[in-house]
């Protein structure tokens, strides 16, 4: 039985129009691509040459793969970019059945990787995408070259209380506007593009995602991540203490390089793209 779209039918056209307007900000040619999986049709945005090392991008909750607008042009010069719209989230993917466990997320990702006949990949995940990336690294280390985590959701340390409430009840009438929310989550000097604000307004008002809530991984689970890993967290991270996250990661993830990015909040790849892009390229090419 086909699951309902995360968007009401009357809003799907407006959503896709806003999605494509943000994709223009990528500033590089891309291909809209679909992969059939056991859980439905997964939508990806592909950029770069398939002669370059593959880099899968896993986005934060709700924002979809459009969020890489400040990173794709630079990263695609070095890598074959596969930016995935997470199944069940507010992207362009169309679920046929709901993913209900971490194991099913791994199966879903493996089916996509196998579709492209990729033996080994790099993965970069932001926020919820970081939680998914860590989950994959624990179960499938033989398929990974390197792992990049941008402020992974939960994963390493628990959410602050207000974040727990906001994430579990995202459609409260008292929730602030998209612009105010982004400002609360980001450094005070960051001004998101108008196209992105418009896109997120539609998402926040009309999207009803069905996803597994992210959890904090145990010491044993983190210690099992043997893949070379880069962890980047903003100094003004809002969802948890950046110092606690880095400290616990350094204590438990064996092959870890970690840094705190100055003048950045939770959306660090959009707030400080030059710094993040440079550090990611240097790490993956080392």
């Amino acid at each position: 039985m086909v699951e309902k779209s995360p968007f009401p039918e009357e809003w799907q056209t407006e959503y896709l129009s806003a999605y494509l307007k943000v994709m223009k900000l990528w500033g590089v040619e891309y291909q809209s691509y679909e992969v059939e999986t056991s859980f439905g049709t997964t939508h990806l945005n592909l950029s770069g040459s398939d002669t370059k090392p593959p880099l899968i991008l896993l986005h934060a909750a709700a924002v979809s793969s459009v969020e890489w607008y400040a990173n794709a042009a630079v990263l695609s010069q070095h890598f074959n970019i596969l930016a995935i719209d997470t199944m069940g989230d507010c992207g362009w993917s169309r679920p046929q059945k709901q993913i209900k466990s971490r194991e099913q997320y791994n199966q879903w990702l493996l089916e996509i990787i196998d579709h492209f006949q990729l033996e080994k990949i790099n993965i970069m995940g932001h926020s919820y995408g970081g939680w998914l990336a860590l989950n994959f690294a624990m179960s499938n280390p033989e398929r990974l070259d390197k792992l990049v985590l941008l402020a992974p959701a939960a994963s390493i340390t628990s959410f602050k209380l207000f974040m727990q409430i906001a994430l579990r009840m995202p459609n409260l009438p008292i929730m602030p506007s998209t612009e105010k929310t982004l400002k609360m989550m980001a450094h005070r000097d960051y001004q998101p593009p108008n196209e992105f604000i418009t896109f997120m307004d539609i998402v926040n008002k009309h999207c009803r995602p069905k996803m597994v809530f992210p959890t904090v991984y145990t010491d044993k689970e983190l210690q099992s991540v043997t893949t070379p890993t880069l962890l980047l967290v903003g100094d003004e991270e809002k969802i948890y203490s950046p110092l606690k996250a880095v400290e616990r990661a350094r204590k438990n993830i064996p092959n870890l390089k970690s840094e705190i990015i100055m003048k950045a909040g939770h959306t660090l790849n959009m707030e400080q793209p030059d710094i993040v892009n440079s550090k990611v390229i240097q790490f993956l090419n080392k």
Side-chain angles (χ1 to χ4, degrees), residues 184-188 234-238 242 261 263-266:
M184 285 193 300
M185 296 292 283
H187 185 270
R188 61 184 175 276
D235 68 321
E236 296 190 18
E237 175 58 64
K238 303 300 194 298
I261 306 300
K263 295 185 178 180
H266 188 59

Side-chain angles (χ1 to χ4, degrees), residues 1-234:
M1 181 178 179
V2 177
E3 288 282 321
K4 291 183 179 180
S5 167
F7 286 91
E9 187 173 349
E10 62 270 22
W11 281 97
Q12 289 179 28
T13 300
E14 186 166 351
Y15 167 79
L16 293 178
S17 175
Y19 182 109
L20 292 173
K21 286 179 181 178
V22 184
M23 285 302 299
K24 289 183 179 179
L25 302 180
W26 269 37
V28 67
E29 290 186 4
Y30 70 92
Q31 177 187 2
S32 181
Y33 193 90
E34 292 186 342
V35 175
E36 297 300 329
T37 73
S38 301
F39 302 94
T41 303
T42 299
H43 177 262
L44 302 90
N45 292 302
L46 311 180
S47 185
S49 169
D50 57 11
T51 63
K52 298 182 184 299
L55 173 60
I56 284 181
L57 303 180
L58 299 174
H59 60 80
V63 295
S64 83
S65 60
V66 304
E67 83 150 85
W68 306 108
Y69 67 82
N71 316 106
V74 174
L75 295 179
S76 62
Q77 296 176 22
H78 300 265
F79 308 103
N80 180 26
I81 301 297
L82 299 89
I84 301 175
D85 282 352
T86 299
M87 189 65 73
D89 199 356
C90 305
W92 207 334
S93 295
R94 303 186 300 279
Q96 290 181 338
K97 63 180 180 180
Q98 185 179 351
I99 295 180
K100 297 182 178 181
S101 68
R102 289 168 50 185
E103 293 76 19
Q104 288 183 332
Y105 271 124
N106 282 336
Q107 179 187 342
W108 167 69
L109 278 173
L110 275 173
E111 289 181 24
I112 296 169
I113 294 166
D114 288 341
H115 171 85
F116 290 99
Q117 299 181 333
L118 301 173
E119 291 299 322
K120 279 203 168 189
I121 56 165
N122 301 297
I123 290 185
M124 177 161 73
H126 173 218
S127 192
Y128 191 84
W131 181 75
L132 290 177
L134 260 177
N135 180 48
F136 187 83
M138 293 169 190
S139 300
N140 303 276
E142 74 285 353
R143 302 301 294 271
L144 286 179
D145 276 330
K146 291 184 180 179
L147 175 66
V148 179
L149 305 173
L150 306 179
S155 304
I156 302 170
T157 189
S158 57
F159 291 119
K160 292 179 179 178
L161 180 59
F162 84 94
M163 282 303 304
Q164 286 274 7
I165 296 172
L167 290 170
R168 289 190 180 275
M169 294 185 290
N171 302 115
L172 290 174
I174 60 171
M175 291 297 287
S177 67
T178 297
E179 191 166 10
K180 289 182 178 179
T181 300
L182 288 171
K183 285 185 177 180
M184 285 193 300
M185 296 292 283
H187 185 270
R188 61 184 175 276
D189 294 335
Y190 172 60
Q191 180 57 50
N194 290 332
E195 295 91 337
F196 188 68
I197 293 174
T198 300
F199 170 79
M200 290 306 301
D201 274 333
I202 295 173
V203 168
N204 290 338
K205 290 177 183 177
H206 303 288
C207 180
R208 300 295 182 269
K210 294 183 179 180
M211 301 152 68
V212 177
F213 198 82
T215 53
V216 176
Y217 294 119
T218 66
D219 289 352
K220 185 177 180 180
E221 287 175 317
L222 293 177
Q223 289 161 10
S224 73
V225 179
T226 56
T227 302
T229 301
L230 173 66
L231 170 66
L232 300 179
V233 183

